[in-house]
Amino acid sequence: LLEFVLADGGWHFRQEKPILDDFLAHIDHPYKAVREAMGKVLCVIFRTRYHESFESVPKLIEANKKASSIGIRPYQPSEELTSTITDVFDRLEKWRHEREPGQQTQSSYTSGSKTVLTWLDCTLSSNECTMLVPFFATPFMEQLLHMMDVKEDPELMRIAYHVYRHLPNIPFREGEDAKFINALIKIGRSATSWHQRLRALVNMQVVYFRRIFLTAASERDALFTAVSDMLSDPQLEVRACASTTLAGMIRCSPRHIRDPMITRLEKRFKDELQQNPMPKRKTHLPGTETPVDIHRQINRRHAAVLGLGALIEAFPYATPPPEWMPEVLATLARKA
């Protein structure tokens, strides 16, 4: 009922402060139905707080002219929303550290996270979704990845993954995707958990495909470089996913982007394959481990093979095949 009252009243309803304070103080409520209701009401409150009002049409036109060539940014997050999100995620981080690892029972962290996820899911599914864009890189990404690592709560993992997959599908204004892309690249390169690196790859490919004609050249090159670097990830699953992602990125790119990138990547992977020959087999004493350097060399070699394989897999049905393909196939046959 409260949700409908707020939605019908819109921004004209100005008595939301006590409701908001009460809900934010109890986001870790133990009951699922209550958490879901609170999350939806929080969404409606902040959605209806936004409105664009001007004294007259001339002032409206003047304000839009001053803002930019395409006018005022719609759904600019308010200071209240910014401070609320910052405070809520600070509390979640505090609760995350207080939660015992492996705890099977419900905690403030898991309960509060589900309330916040309902709020985010509701907002990201609405027209006001761009209101949350400034928060994607931080704190959303890091916290969502932590939520997906709570193996003891499958429901939390599922909802967090659902919201996480929402992020790259939100329409960014020009230039606003840079922080999000850089955050994904940072996670893909430096996250200690291989699951997080793998999930970063998932969103990298989506944001690339969605914004293939809109992303700046520097961000596009950074994505290609990051995915190529992840071919040498210590975890096999990440390497395999990076290869598939790279093949898809090349296949979907327009020719003026694709051709120079193929030339660059082909040279890189051939050089890596040449510089990392297969180590000679040596007889090790029983119980001894393979030296670390050999493992690294094999990983780098595997990365080069996966990279060249990705170039081939990018054009599975091309007839006739691209001019560079026979040489790459011959290289793989001789040296892989």
Side-chain angles (χ1 to χ4, degrees), residues 33-193:
V34 177
R35 291 196 303 267
E36 290 178 351
M38 285 198 299
K40 291 176 181 177
V41 172
L42 286 171
C43 168
V44 171
I45 287 175
F46 284 109
R47 282 176 56 194
T48 55
R49 294 312 90 196
Y50 176 82
H51 63 93
E52 296 178 6
S53 304
F54 296 90
E55 294 180 20
S56 62
V57 173
K59 289 193 175 181
L60 165 65
I61 296 173
E62 183 183 353
N64 277 273
K65 280 183 178 178
K66 283 183 179 179
S68 70
S69 60
I70 55 174
I72 296 172
R73 182 197 188 278
Y75 303 115
Q76 182 72 27
S78 63
E79 291 184 7
E80 182 184 12
L81 175 61
T82 303
S83 62
T84 300
I85 287 179
T86 303
D87 176 63
V88 166
F89 277 87
D90 285 345
R91 287 163 63 194
L92 287 179
E93 180 67 8
K94 178 175 175 288
W95 288 339
R96 184 174 73 85
H97 288 294
E98 290 174 354
R99 178 179 175 272
E100 293 291 333
Q103 181 179 336
Q104 299 290 335
T105 55
Q106 191 169 251
S107 65
S108 292
Y109 174 66
T110 55
S111 298
S113 295
K114 290 173 186 175
T115 306
V116 173
L117 288 172
T118 304
W119 168 20
L120 297 184
D121 185 30
C122 182
T123 306
L124 291 171
S125 303
S126 68
N127 294 330
E128 292 82 1
C129 56
T130 54
M131 193 184 294
L132 299 179
V133 165
F135 310 105
F136 281 9
T138 178
F140 286 2
M141 291 274 288
E142 183 180 355
Q143 288 299 329
L144 288 173
L145 289 169
H146 285 314
M147 292 173 194
M148 284 184 271
D149 284 339
V150 182
K151 303 290 191 298
E152 296 78 21
D153 195 332
E155 183 189 12
L156 176 59
M157 292 176 64
R158 178 181 57 79
I159 304 172
Y161 186 70
H162 173 72
V163 173
Y164 177 75
R165 291 299 303 272
H166 254 309
L167 302 184
N169 291 312
I170 302 303
F172 296 84
R173 273 169 73 100
E174 184 180 0
E176 288 188 352
D177 56 351
K179 287 185 178 179
F180 181 60
I181 290 172
N182 291 333
L184 284 172
I185 292 172
K186 182 180 177 182
I187 292 167
R189 284 178 169 162
S190 60
T192 53
S193 167

Side-chain angles (χ1 to χ4, degrees), residues 217-270:
S218 56
E219 270 78 44
R220 188 170 57 239
D221 289 346
L223 279 172
F224 269 107
T225 303
V227 174
S228 301
D229 291 343
M230 292 176 75
L231 290 169
S232 55
D233 192 274
Q235 192 69 27
L236 177 61
E237 289 85 349
V238 178
R239 296 202 296 269
C241 184
S243 177
T244 305
T245 301
L246 183 61
M249 290 169 68
I250 292 171
R251 180 166 56 249
C252 294
S253 298
R255 172 160 280 184
H256 72 277
I257 295 173
R258 182 177 66 210
D259 290 349
M261 189 59 63
I262 288 174
T263 303
R264 192 177 91 186
L265 293 176
E266 181 186 352
K267 182 180 184 305
R268 169 182 170 171
F269 296 138
K270 281 183 176 178

